[in-house]
Coordinates of all heavy atoms in Angstrom, one line a residue:
A1434 N 130.7 147.4 -115.5 CA 131.3 148.6 -116.2 C 130.2 149.2 -117.1 O 129.3 148.6 -117.5 CB 132.5 148.2 -117.0
F1435 N 130.4 150.5 -117.4 CA 129.3 151.3 -118.1 C 129.1 150.8 -119.5 O 128.0 151.0 -120.1 CB 129.7 152.8 -118.1 CG 130.5 153.2 -119.3 CD1 129.9 153.8 -120.4 CD2 131.9 153.0 -119.3 CE1 130.7 154.2 -121.4 CE2 132.6 153.4 -120.4 CZ 132.0 154.0 -121.4
K1436 N 130.0 150.1 -120.1 CA 129.9 149.6 -121.4 C 128.7 148.7 -121.6 O 128.1 148.6 -122.7 CB 131.1 148.9 -121.9 CG 132.3 149.9 -122.0 CD 133.5 149.4 -122.9 CE 134.5 150.4 -123.1 NZ 135.2 150.9 -121.9
D1467 N 137.6 145.4 -120.4 CA 136.1 145.7 -120.3 C 135.3 145.4 -121.6 O 134.2 144.9 -121.5 CB 135.9 147.1 -119.8 CG 136.3 147.4 -118.4 OD1 136.3 146.4 -117.6 OD2 136.6 148.5 -118.1
P1578 N 135.2 160.2 -117.2 CA 136.5 159.5 -117.4 C 136.6 159.0 -118.9 O 135.7 158.2 -119.3 CB 136.4 158.3 -116.5 CG 135.2 158.6 -115.6 CD 134.3 159.5 -116.3
S1579 N 137.6 159.4 -119.6 CA 137.6 159.2 -121.1 C 138.8 158.5 -121.6 O 139.9 158.6 -121.1 CB 137.5 160.6 -121.8 OG 136.3 161.2 -121.5
G1580 N 138.5 157.7 -122.7 CA 139.5 156.9 -123.4 C 139.3 157.2 -124.9 O 140.0 158.0 -125.5
N1581 N 138.4 156.4 -125.4 CA 138.2 156.5 -126.9 C 137.1 157.6 -127.2 O 136.7 157.6 -128.4 CB 137.7 155.1 -127.4 CG 138.9 154.3 -127.8 OD1 139.8 154.8 -128.4 ND2 138.9 153.0 -127.6
F1582 N 136.8 158.4 -126.3 CA 135.9 159.5 -126.5 C 134.4 159.1 -126.9 O 133.6 159.9 -127.4 CB 136.4 160.4 -127.7 CG 136.0 161.8 -127.7 CD1 136.6 162.8 -126.8 CD2 135.0 162.3 -128.5 CE1 136.2 164.1 -126.8 CE2 134.5 163.6 -128.5 CZ 135.1 164.5 -127.7
G1583 N 134.1 157.8 -126.5 CA 132.7 157.4 -126.8 C 131.7 157.9 -125.8 O 130.7 158.5 -126.2
N1584 N 132.0 157.8 -124.6 CA 131.1 158.2 -123.5 C 130.8 159.7 -123.6 O 129.7 160.2 -123.7 CB 131.7 157.8 -122.2 CG 130.7 157.8 -121.0 OD1 129.6 158.3 -121.2 ND2 131.1 157.4 -119.9
S1635 N 141.3 150.9 -118.6 CA 140.4 151.1 -119.7 C 140.5 152.4 -120.3 O 139.8 152.7 -121.3 CB 139.0 150.8 -119.2 OG 138.9 149.5 -118.7
M1636 N 141.3 153.3 -119.8 CA 141.5 154.6 -120.4 C 143.0 154.7 -121.0 O 143.4 155.8 -121.4 CB 141.3 155.7 -119.4 CG 139.9 155.8 -118.9 SD 139.7 156.5 -117.3 CE 140.3 158.2 -117.5
D1714 N 135.8 153.3 -108.1 CA 136.9 152.6 -108.8 C 137.9 153.6 -109.3 O 137.7 154.8 -109.2 CB 136.4 151.7 -109.9 CG 136.4 152.5 -111.3 OD1 135.7 153.4 -111.4 OD2 137.2 152.1 -112.2
H1716 N 138.9 154.5 -112.4 CA 138.4 155.3 -113.6 C 137.5 156.4 -113.1 O 137.7 157.6 -113.4 CB 137.7 154.5 -114.6 CG 138.5 153.3 -115.1 ND1 138.6 152.2 -114.3 CD2 139.3 153.1 -116.2 CE1 139.4 151.3 -115.0 NE2 139.8 151.9 -116.1
T1739 N 132.1 154.8 -114.1 CA 132.3 153.9 -115.3 C 132.6 152.5 -115.0 O 132.6 151.6 -115.9 CB 133.3 154.5 -116.3 OG1 134.6 154.7 -115.6 CG2 132.9 155.8 -116.9
A1740 N 132.9 152.2 -113.7 CA 133.1 150.8 -113.3 C 133.0 150.7 -111.8 O 133.0 151.7 -111.1 CB 134.5 150.3 -113.7
Ligands
PLP3110 C1 135.8 152.1 -121.7 C2 136.0 152.7 -120.4 C3 136.3 154.1 -120.2 C4 136.5 155.0 -121.4 O1 135.3 155.3 -122.1 P1 135.4 155.9 -123.6 O2 134.0 155.8 -124.1 O3 136.3 155.0 -124.4 O4 135.9 157.3 -123.5 C5 136.4 154.6 -119.0 N1 136.2 153.8 -117.9 C6 135.9 152.5 -118.0 C7 135.8 151.6 -116.8 C8 135.8 151.9 -119.3 O5 135.5 150.6 -119.4

Side-chain angles (χ1 to χ4, degrees):
F1435 88 100
K1436 293 195 172 66
D1467 291 333
S1579 293
N1581 271 320
F1582 205 79
N1584 197 352
S1635 299
M1636 293 155 64
D1714 93 295
H1716 306 78
T1739 56

